[in-house]
Amino acid sequence: MKILAFIFFGLIVWRMILVLKWKWYFKVPLILLAGTGAFKFQIFRVIGGHYFAPDLPGWIIMAGAWFYGAFYLLIPLWLISEAVRAFKMRKDQSLWNKINLGTVCAALCLSFIGLVCGAAAPRIMPYQIEHPQIPAAADNMKILFLTDLHIDRSTKIEKVQHLVKKANECKADLILLGGDLMDGPVAACGQAVAELEKLKAPLGVFTVPGNHEFYSGMESWNGFFQKSSIKMLLNEKRVLANGVILAGTGDSAANAFFRNDPVLKEFYNSNPQKALKGVADEEFVILLAHRPKTAQQSSLLRTDLQLSGHTHGGMIRGLDLLVGFYNGNWISGRYQVGKMTLLVSNGTWLWRGFPLRLGRPGEMLLITLKRK
């Protein structure tokens, strides 16, 4: 990613800034602005000390996200203008300078709109799952699925409280959290995450780890949830009071974080086979897995419904194709994988490293089970 940033930064400086017939003291700020967008993460790491959750004021994080988003939105817009330019006979540089300026303004506007949409309240997205193996006691059962909250040290507790209030108003029988709940250590984020303990559901509240739990200190957060009313499922299953089987997996981020500790690596790694061990053919099984890319394996292991997040829905229409490449082409919405239904959420909130949404709104899934 750093290499691509250097390449595109160099091309934009060469093809869009240096060609301007402006004084050097006008060009230098533009180069610095482009550099801020291109190398935001590296700059934040130097001044903020943490790659995924820098210790910086919220407005600096959001300003950096605006420039970062504008830089990467500028790339496809600039490539389109370059392609048009290559086929045009007219080589008037002043005209293309105006086009370049318009392209930059468009990228900045789109990035700002993306920030506004990314900060918007999540919608409630209803789904209905019909299946003959749903227990009679679970007919009309409501499940609320939230994922990818990315609570960090700058998240206000009032924001979490408002989300909890909205979630509880859904009056779900079961609430499931799909991982990536936080960005930062327990000491910095524990108080805000603890507000999630106010989520109320008769059948309980459960979660699984996502990759950001590992970035934030997986062992500490596992200890946090062991003392919490929210139960973390690590390659294990529970039989709910209405007969539904709920299973949850770890996350493949364990491969990198515990590469030198085979015991912890196996304990925290994604292992659907272990989570679903002993499940009978006639039981209705829900699998909670942060990443949707495990869906093919899960479908072969007697799973009826898998709930996942991680993709954020691709965040931006068009960019979602790239996100899909790394996630089995399961990006957002409902999929049929063999006999299993897969629901992939756009995520409830966003990671502040790239908090933009264009065409992929945040959401909470409200799922109703119907016995056929």
Side-chain angles (χ1 to χ4, degrees), residues 116-265:
V116 173
C117 293
R123 65 182 181 177
I124 296 176
M125 190 68 181
Y127 285 96
Q128 183 168 299
I129 304 296
E130 295 183 354
H131 200 282
Q133 290 175 199
I134 292 173
D139 193 23
N140 290 314
M141 171 184 176
K142 293 188 184 301
I143 304 167
L144 187 66
F145 179 52
L146 294 79
T147 184
D148 299 279
L149 299 183
H150 294 282
I151 296 169
D152 62 21
R153 64 189 79 225
S154 64
T155 302
K156 294 182 178 180
I157 288 179
E158 292 77 13
K159 182 179 179 181
V160 184
Q161 290 172 337
H162 180 75
L163 178 71
V164 168
K165 181 175 181 292
K166 185 174 181 180
N168 286 337
E169 287 172 354
C170 293
K171 299 189 182 302
D173 300 295
L174 174 69
I175 296 179
L176 301 177
L177 307 173
D180 279 8
L181 300 184
M182 76 295 291
D183 279 306
V186 173
C189 308
Q191 187 177 1
V193 174
E195 289 295 318
L196 297 176
E197 295 179 355
K198 295 175 183 176
L199 289 167
K200 301 298 180 185
L203 296 175
V205 182
F206 296 87
T207 188
V208 291
N211 49 310
H212 282 246
E213 273 79 353
F214 289 85
Y215 306 147
S216 303
M218 183 64 235
E219 290 185 274
S220 296
W221 280 110
N222 185 36
F224 175 92
F225 283 110
Q226 284 180 357
K227 301 172 185 176
S228 169
S229 60
I230 301 171
K231 301 306 176 186
M232 179 174 281
L233 299 175
L234 290 164
N235 301 312
E236 57 186 308
K237 64 180 182 295
R238 301 287 177 90
V239 181
L240 301 180
N242 59 10
V244 169
I245 306 297
L246 173 65
T249 68
D251 190 82
S252 58
N255 289 320
F257 282 86
F258 298 110
R259 61 167 61 93
N260 297 321
D261 191 328
V263 175
L264 290 178
K265 179 180 174 181

Side-chain angles (χ1 to χ4, degrees), residues 276-349:
L276 297 165
K277 185 178 180 181
V279 170
D281 289 343
E282 67 274 10
E283 292 175 315
F284 182 79
V285 181
I286 300 172
L287 179 68
L288 191 57
H290 178 65
R291 303 181 196 235
K293 66 189 301 181
T294 63
Q296 197 65 57
Q297 181 184 6
S298 305
S299 69
L300 301 175
L301 293 171
R302 271 296 300 111
T303 303
D304 299 297
L305 172 64
Q306 177 173 321
L307 303 178
S308 297
H310 183 64
T311 66
H312 294 187
M315 295 164 289
I316 295 173
R317 293 278 185 176
L319 178 63
D320 54 4
L321 299 177
L322 178 62
V323 172
F325 178 78
Y326 292 101
N327 291 280
N329 290 319
W330 295 304
I331 307 164
S332 173
R334 184 173 189 152
Y335 302 89
Q336 196 65 32
V337 186
K339 294 181 179 180
M340 183 188 81
T341 298
L342 168 66
L343 296 181
V344 183
S345 170
N346 290 348
T348 305
W349 289 342

